[in-house]
Amino acid sequence: GAADSGDDARHLCALLDGRQVLLVLDNAEQLPPQADAAIRALLEALPRLRVLVTSRRLFGIDGEQTLELEGLPLPKDDAPFAEVVANPAVALFVDRARAVRADFRLGERQAATLSALVRLLGGMPLAIELAASRVRSLAPLELLERLRDGAGTPMLDLLARPRARAS
């Protein structure tokens, strides 16, 4: 209950008191509204605490600094093969695709597809990694076509982690 969470917070503060600690919160916009107060309380109780947050919103906490990140540079629509291969967004896709399918290769025939795919994903590294993880079961062209499909929430549905198979 609420009393337990207060006890947990006090215990955590006692454990961390005097230590230099980095707390990392990813996708913090998904936290409930009361998390803002909890973060403030931790920062007040632990002067050596630093918090690194990825979020689409600001928290309004004293000393908060923001760094807006853009996506990776994108290849031009008609970029030659050498430019596509050297592009950071495409290189990330290829690297992550090879992690799930060792035989994945970027050939000249796939260059336009991968360029379009990373452009559609806005060069966002997490989206590129999630898409690349799907090459185990989908060819890049099929992945691109599914992502371009406007029905429902195709990007979210396709990039979501597949459900665990029933045993």
Side-chain angles (χ1 to χ4, degrees):
D4 292 339
S5 65
D7 290 342
D8 290 343
R10 282 188 287 282
H11 183 68
L12 179 64
C13 287
L15 285 172
L16 299 179
D17 191 32
R19 293 184 177 187
Q20 189 166 346
V21 176
L22 174 64
L23 173 63
V24 179
L25 301 171
D26 190 23
N27 288 329
E29 65 271 359
Q30 297 177 16
L31 293 172
Q34 60 269 33
D36 293 17
I39 294 168
R40 278 189 192 88
L42 284 173
L43 286 166
E44 289 171 8
L46 301 167
R48 298 186 70 195
L49 174 68
R50 299 297 176 258
V51 182
L52 175 65
V53 179
T54 65
S55 180
R56 292 186 192 113
R57 68 178 176 90
L58 298 177
F59 284 80
I61 295 174
D62 287 343
E64 182 175 16
Q65 297 177 5
T66 63
L67 177 63
E68 291 189 31
L69 300 177
E70 299 289 325
L72 294 170
L74 297 171
K76 293 182 179 133
D77 193 19
D78 56 352
F81 182 68
E83 285 181 29
V84 172
V85 170
N87 178 268
V90 172
L92 176 62
F93 185 95
V94 170
D95 179 68
R96 302 319 309 146
R98 284 183 183 152
V100 296
R101 225 180 97 198
D103 65 340
F104 184 85
R105 298 286 176 261
L106 171 58
E108 287 194 48
R109 292 183 350 171
Q110 284 188 325
T113 298
L114 290 188
S115 291
L117 186 56
V118 298
R119 281 195 311 276
L120 181 64
L121 297 171
M124 302 310 290
L126 180 57
I128 292 169
E129 288 202 33
L130 290 171
S133 73
R134 305 295 294 192
V135 301
R136 181 178 297 143
S137 57
L138 298 171
L141 182 57
E142 186 180 6
L143 181 61
L144 177 62
E145 289 169 351
R146 287 188 182 191
L147 289 172
R148 283 182 173 162
D149 178 11
T153 56
M155 283 199 186
L156 295 177
D157 296 343
L158 186 60
L159 297 180
R161 181 179 300 250
R163 289 193 178 110
R165 293 184 179 142
S167 45

